[in-house]
Amino acid sequence: MRAYYYDNEDTDPREPHEKLPLSPVTPQELANFGVLYWQLGDDYLGEIDKICKERSYKNRDEINCSREGLGDAYESKIKTFFEEHLHEDEEIRFVIDGSGYFDVRDGADRWIRIAVSKGDLLVL
């Protein structure tokens, strides 16, 4: 996981958008406004089960967020990921394979981009 301030450029949201000069955000800074992070190993199912039990999660699902996994719905689904939205409950994301981004606002209303890859678990 690598978190940094978003550059707010109005270009393709699938690009990195790292604000220069480098603007890293630490896992502790993320935790200060409610974004939790774990790096899970090869026994990720056991680790996820433990976290789910500790946090009283009852349900889970798995999606393959790729052209192959989503088929014709891929482009429209990707667009929804880059639209600001809120959840009433925690949003939990674990990356089994591949990579992607999560954008969140910090306490000062600045956008932070979180680049995730295999083994990263976020709770927002």
Side-chain angles (χ1 to χ4, degrees), residues 6 16 24-25 27 32 48 53 56 58-59 62 64 71 74 89-90 101-104 107 112-113 115 117 119 121-122:
Y6 192 90
V25 177
N32 288 342
I48 288 173
K53 184 175 181 180
S56 300
K58 305 294 183 213
N59 302 308
E62 181 178 325
N64 179 341
Y74 176 76
D89 298 314
E90 291 182 335
Y101 299 113
F102 284 91
D103 298 334
V104 298
I112 293 175
R113 172 152 283 186
S117 58
L121 172 67
L122 288 178

Side-chain angles (χ1 to χ4, degrees), residues 93-113:
R93 296 291 181 254
F94 175 66
V95 182
I96 294 173
D97 195 22
S99 62
Y101 299 113
F102 284 91
D103 298 334
V104 298
R105 290 184 190 262
D106 70 4
D109 207 31
R110 297 171 295 188
W111 282 104
I112 293 175
R113 172 152 283 186

Side-chain angles (χ1 to χ4, degrees), residues 72-84:
D72 292 340
Y74 176 76
E75 287 299 329
S76 62
K77 186 67 171 174
I78 289 298
K79 286 180 184 173
T80 67
F81 290 151
F82 291 104
E83 294 172 1
E84 185 173 9

Side-chain angles (χ1 to χ4, degrees), residues 10-116:
D10 190 22
T11 58
D12 187 344
R14 294 173 286 189
E15 297 298 322
H17 286 278
E18 187 161 4
K19 192 175 205 172
L20 297 175
L22 296 178
S23 55
V25 177
T26 67
Q28 182 56 51
E29 288 172 298
L30 293 173
N32 288 342
F33 58 89
V35 178
L36 306 178
Y37 170 74
W38 291 264
Q39 170 64 44
L40 303 185
D42 291 336
D43 181 31
Y44 64 84
L45 287 177
E47 294 177 75
I48 288 173
D49 287 342
K50 180 181 173 196
I51 292 167
C52 288
K53 184 175 181 180
E54 289 170 356
R55 300 186 69 80
S56 300
Y57 298 151
K58 305 294 183 213
N59 302 308
R60 68 174 80 162
D61 59 0
E62 181 178 325
I63 67 164
N64 179 341
C65 190
S66 67
R67 287 189 193 283
E68 296 78 23
L70 296 173
D72 292 340
Y74 176 76
E75 287 299 329
S76 62
K77 186 67 171 174
I78 289 298
K79 286 180 184 173
T80 67
F81 290 151
F82 291 104
E83 294 172 1
E84 185 173 9
H85 60 277
L86 299 172
H87 293 264
E88 289 185 16
D89 298 314
E90 291 182 335
E91 181 177 0
I92 304 97
R93 296 291 181 254
F94 175 66
V95 182
I96 294 173
D97 195 22
S99 62
Y101 299 113
F102 284 91
D103 298 334
V104 298
R105 290 184 190 262
D106 70 4
D109 207 31
R110 297 171 295 188
W111 282 104
I112 293 175
R113 172 152 283 186
I114 305 169
V116 294

